[in-house]
Amino acid sequence: MWEGIYIGVTTAVMPFNLLMMFVGCFAGTFIGMLPGLGPVSAVALIIPITYGLDPSSGIILMAGVYYGAVFGASTSSILINAPGCASTVVTAFDGYPLAQQGHAGKALALAAYSSFVGGTIGAIFLVFFAPMLAKVSLSFQSSDYFALMVLGLTAVAAFAGKGNILKALIMCVLGLMLSTVGTDRSNGVERFTFGSIEFIDGLSFLLLAMATFALAEVVMSVMDRSINAEGSKTSNVASLGSMKLSKSEIKEVAPTMIRSSVLGFIVGVLPGAGATIASFLAYGVERNFASKEDKEKFGKGSLKGLAAPESANNAASTGSFVPLLTLGIPGSGTTAVMLGALIAYGIQPGPQLFVDHPDVFWSVIVSMYLGNIVLLILNLPLIPYIAKLLEIPRTILIPLILFFSLTGVYLVSFNAFDIQVMIIICMAAIGLKLLDFPLAPMLLGFILGGMLEDNLRRALLIHDDSMSFLWERPLTAAIMALAMLALFGQPLLNLIRSKLGQNKGQEVYDGE
Amino acid sequence: MYMTIAKDRIGGLIFLALSIGYGFSITLIPMYPGDEYEVFTAKTLPAALALIGSVLSLALLILSRGETKKTLPDLDWAIAVKLMALMSAYGVILETLGFLVATTLFLLAGYWILGERRKILLFCCSLPLVLCFWFGLTQLLDIYLAPGVLLQWMGV
């Protein structure tokens, strides 16, 4: 392990990679701050640039953007009460009231420190857990991989939120359907190309990611009059105030940061759970843990209420790299985008990554830690200036983002037809968003589709065309059982709860 | 005016139609001789997906029977149509007018559609920015950008 860390450190501290880390953190912070554009959009926007870099530098840049975007989203939550992404919605609960009370500087500094603690604890856990899991998963066979992909898809659907499981599953299937467009990798047969030469290579992952997460998000933000009103509103916080935290304040929030970081990491590791659930959970836990006096402060500018979600969402962002790096299963929408980018590099994330590309594996882990430091030393002094970026008129910003998205895809394929396909997918994505269909499961289905088909085909070949591996091979059976649990666990629990509730109601009625 | 729609029912119907259409298109996938004896062919996964998609869409339709209509947010559709048309036009003129001209026009039109009327901003954020980007791509990153059919025809 120490040898690996050494490889990671030497790769990550190369001047060019350090530069990428700085650029990534800065660009991510800027993009993340724009209301409506979250980490997924930020990473999707940066992918075309990473294609010109070597894999280590590319993934370091993407990781920097990811971290920066999560932090940037917090900045807009605190300053203008407009969360850049779902995982920083909770940050606004106490961050914005703090800013209104004249403590915007303190709130931003606390967000930065909490992010640092969360990211650092997450990175330390990642150093120990990722190689362990990678070693175990080296014994995986095709059938286990197939089961893992099913688990990844079902887990993402299961965490989609109440009432959205079915929709998320449908979106997974849509993603899988889109992945079948093009030439079949095993026997060269064309599928769903309808005779068009443009579709022979299938849909490009970058095109799909850009159209759904960059174009659609931006167009939606322009369409939504309420966001327009928020976006045009510059910070009503007159001055940032002091950025210093007193000793007693640090003492007060330190245990919260540690607790929330550990919780955030654990939630982040679960495929599909992600930073949003982690931040809500951490906030809820801290509120329940707090004394009666502290509890009343929550929602009115509590330091603990700000530190908890910030630590948790950063730790969860790091945690989501565990399943990506060790099993090749993304833990969140953002890591799903990164998985696609790695595959485009010819690198297959999973247990073999640890063996075949130790430089990539370890440099990502080390860059996580360094990224946190960069974020702290870069963003903390720059906060007053970064906040000014929120004042760039949206009338200028939006066309520029559209231009970067379109050009990003065009510069990879040099085919103007891709722009038209992007627009069609963007329109479909807007429609799906309006119908409350989540888009991340679709991207995950699209990315995992090819691998799922290959592994199923191989598993069937190995097991003489029999599906018996699903129940005969213990590991495959266990993973499939977990997938079923992820899928049916919550609905079953709800059913039992409602039954119990009914019985209770009945008892009360009888008692009366 | 706010529009109210039954989101799940509409979504379910769309996906049911899509799954059926996708399932029908499987018949267009060519097969090699002997494929009929194989357990797993190019049609296997698509067939399974069409089936799963249909079942899930039907489940959504059935479960949304008692769905109450939800209100869509107040959306500015006109601006979305304008931006889509602009992007589509950019895709058409990009290879005809070339990167420099097409992108400058795209940005100018984009700013204008979104309501920017300050001439200095319109100018500063279009041509100079595109020139910087073009210089970075072609001169620093050595990426070839075709000058465009029109400019080539004019002998540029």
Side-chain angles (χ1 to χ4, degrees):
Chain A
M1 188 173 85
W2 297 111
E3 194 188 334
I5 293 174
Y6 177 73
I7 296 173
V9 171
T10 46
T11 313
V13 299
M14 277 161 60
F16 184 72
N17 289 344
L18 276 178
L19 177 73
M20 287 298 107
M21 214 177 291
F22 271 94
V23 171
C25 286
F26 188 77
T29 306
F30 175 57
I31 301 172
M33 265 194 326
L34 306 172
L37 290 183
V40 192
S41 319
V43 174
L45 275 168
I46 216 81
I47 285 176
I49 297 169
T50 66
Y51 282 165
L53 308 171
D54 71 84
S56 304
S57 309
I59 194 108
I60 284 171
L61 179 66
M62 281 190 280
V65 169
Y66 187 11
Y67 267 114
V70 174
F71 178 76
S74 316
T75 309
S76 55
S77 289
I78 292 167
L79 290 179
I80 58 171
N81 201 20
C85 63
S87 64
T88 58
V89 168
V90 193
T91 306
F93 290 177
D94 284 286
Y96 187 61
L98 269 171
Q100 280 182 314
Q101 291 158 20
H103 303 302
K106 189 182 278 186
L108 288 168
L110 181 61
Y113 293 136
S114 306
S115 301
F116 176 73
V117 172
T120 305
I121 291 179
I124 292 168
F125 282 6
L126 188 65
V127 166
F128 291 101
F129 287 116
M132 268 199 280
L133 197 57
K135 272 183 191 158
V136 172
S137 53
L138 271 172
S139 58
F140 283 18
Q141 289 183 0
S142 298
S143 56
D144 307 325
Y145 278 117
F146 168 72
L148 267 177
M149 313 245 158
V150 175
L151 173 65
L153 292 172
T154 51
V156 164
F159 284 106
K162 206 178 172 186
N164 268 338
I165 297 175
L166 205 52
K167 285 181 168 180
L169 280 176
I170 288 175
M171 292 305 283
C172 281
V173 173
L174 177 65
L176 290 168
M177 284 177 175
L178 290 174
S179 76
T180 59
V181 175
T183 310
D184 181 22
R185 285 194 282 195
S186 73
N187 58 13
V189 166
E190 278 181 34
R191 299 190 289 194
F192 309 108
T193 57
F194 304 105
S196 167
I197 198 167
E198 312 283 356
F199 291 119
I200 282 182
D201 285 337
L203 285 171
S204 131
F205 144 77
L206 180 66
L207 187 152
L208 198 64
M210 286 288 217
T212 49
F213 285 106
L215 277 192
E217 295 281 351
V218 172
V219 175
M220 280 289 279
S221 76
V222 177
M223 286 168 75
D224 196 335
R225 290 195 171 101
S226 61
I227 292 186
N228 276 340
E230 267 174 12
S232 58
K233 153 184 96 180
T234 48
S235 173
N236 61 1
V237 177
S239 70
L240 288 178
S242 166
M243 290 175 64
K244 279 184 183 161
L245 286 164
S246 68
K247 266 189 183 172
S248 61
E249 284 169 338
I250 293 171
K251 258 189 184 171
E252 184 193 337
V253 295
T256 300
M257 285 183 190
I258 295 167
R259 271 197 299 268
S260 305
S261 303
V262 176
L263 181 72
F265 183 83
I266 295 168
V267 175
V269 170
L270 302 173
T276 309
I277 293 178
S279 59
F280 274 96
L281 207 60
Y283 187 83
V285 167
E286 277 312 312
R287 200 171 172 276
N288 288 340
F289 262 118
S291 63
K292 202 178 172 189
E293 196 184 317
D294 277 351
K295 208 179 256 182
E296 279 172 11
K297 284 187 197 163
F298 275 75
K300 293 169 191 161
S302 160
L303 293 181
K304 282 183 181 175
L306 175 60
E310 273 302 294
S311 310
N313 68 25
N314 268 268
S317 305
T318 315
S320 65
F321 276 83
V322 174
L324 173 72
L325 293 175
T326 57
L327 305 172
I329 304 286
S332 63
T334 318
T335 43
V337 175
M338 285 193 188
L339 173 66
L342 277 172
I343 293 169
Y345 274 130
I347 291 173
Q348 179 61 58
Q352 284 301 328
L353 179 71
F354 181 61
V355 180
D356 297 339
H357 300 280
D359 54 329
V360 175
F361 184 89
W362 286 103
S363 58
V364 171
I365 293 180
V366 172
S367 69
M368 292 274 153
Y369 186 72
L370 294 180
N372 273 300
I373 300 172
V374 169
L375 210 56
L376 197 67
I377 56 171
L378 176 81
N379 282 2
L380 211 50
L382 289 181
I383 280 171
Y385 307 101
I386 291 173
K388 292 263 177 224
L389 291 174
L390 283 172
E391 288 167 19
I392 294 180
R394 283 167 64 82
T395 50
I396 298 294
L397 219 49
I398 301 283
L400 283 175
I401 297 172
L402 293 179
F403 157 65
F404 285 124
S405 309
L406 296 175
T407 318
V409 171
Y410 176 74
L411 289 178
V412 173
S413 64
F414 289 98
N415 184 359
F417 178 77
D418 279 358
I419 294 180
Q420 309 300 344
V421 179
M422 266 180 101
I423 296 163
I424 293 168
I425 293 176
C426 169
M427 287 195 280
I430 291 173
L432 289 168
K433 276 175 82 79
L434 288 175
L435 293 174
D436 291 340
F437 280 87
L439 293 175
M442 181 191 73
L443 202 62
L444 191 65
F446 179 78
I447 293 166
L448 293 183
M451 288 187 269
L452 185 128
E453 189 174 15
D454 289 347
N455 281 300
L456 178 60
R457 197 190 299 261
R458 217 173 293 138
L460 281 168
L461 265 176
I462 293 168
H463 294 88
D464 291 329
D465 293 338
S466 162
M467 291 291 277
S468 61
F469 61 84
L470 287 177
W471 52 88
E472 279 176 1
R473 192 174 151 74
L475 190 57
T476 312
I479 302 170
M480 285 303 284
L482 276 177
M484 293 305 116
L485 193 70
L487 198 57
F488 299 114
Q490 193 59 40
L492 271 177
L493 212 65
N494 289 345
L495 194 75
I496 293 167
R497 266 194 204 138
S498 67
K499 284 271 174 205
L500 281 176
Q502 270 178 6
N503 287 345
K504 252 187 194 170
Q506 192 65 37
E507 278 163 24
V508 171
Y509 179 78
D510 289 342
E512 277 174 355
Chain B
M1 203 177 78
Y2 291 97
M3 199 194 288
T4 55
I5 55 167
K7 293 183 178 184
D8 291 1
R9 257 176 287 171
I10 293 175
L13 269 176
I14 291 172
F15 276 103
L16 185 62
L18 186 85
S19 301
I20 293 170
Y22 180 82
F24 175 74
S25 305
I26 295 170
T27 55
L28 304 175
I29 299 174
M31 298 284 278
Y32 289 127
D35 266 0
E36 59 271 25
Y37 304 113
E38 294 288 329
V39 171
F40 201 100
T41 66
K43 287 184 177 182
T44 313
L45 184 70
L49 291 175
L51 184 69
I52 297 169
S54 304
V55 170
L56 290 173
S57 323
L58 277 173
L60 186 62
L61 275 174
I62 293 167
L63 291 175
S64 63
R65 270 179 309 172
E67 184 194 10
T68 47
K69 287 186 175 180
K70 286 174 194 143
T71 312
L72 282 182
D74 184 17
L75 298 172
D76 188 349
W77 290 97
I79 206 158
V81 172
K82 283 177 196 167
L83 284 178
M84 294 290 179
L86 176 66
M87 288 191 280
S88 180
Y90 180 57
V92 173
I93 62 169
L94 185 60
E95 287 177 351
T96 319
L97 297 183
F99 180 81
L100 274 176
V101 180
T103 308
T104 308
L105 289 176
F106 170 78
L107 287 177
L108 277 172
Y111 302 145
W112 190 268
I113 287 172
L114 290 170
E116 186 57 65
R117 297 289 182 271
R118 284 168 286 186
K119 282 178 187 144
I120 294 177
L121 259 185
L122 281 173
F123 173 75
C124 293
C125 297
S126 53
L127 188 61
L129 205 127
V130 176
L131 275 173
C132 289
F133 196 73
W134 175 84
F135 180 81
L137 285 176
T138 56
Q139 307 302 310
L140 302 179
L141 295 174
D142 215 16
I143 294 171
Y144 175 74
L145 283 174
V149 179
L150 192 73
L151 291 179
Q152 269 177 336
W153 179 72
M154 288 164 69
V156 178

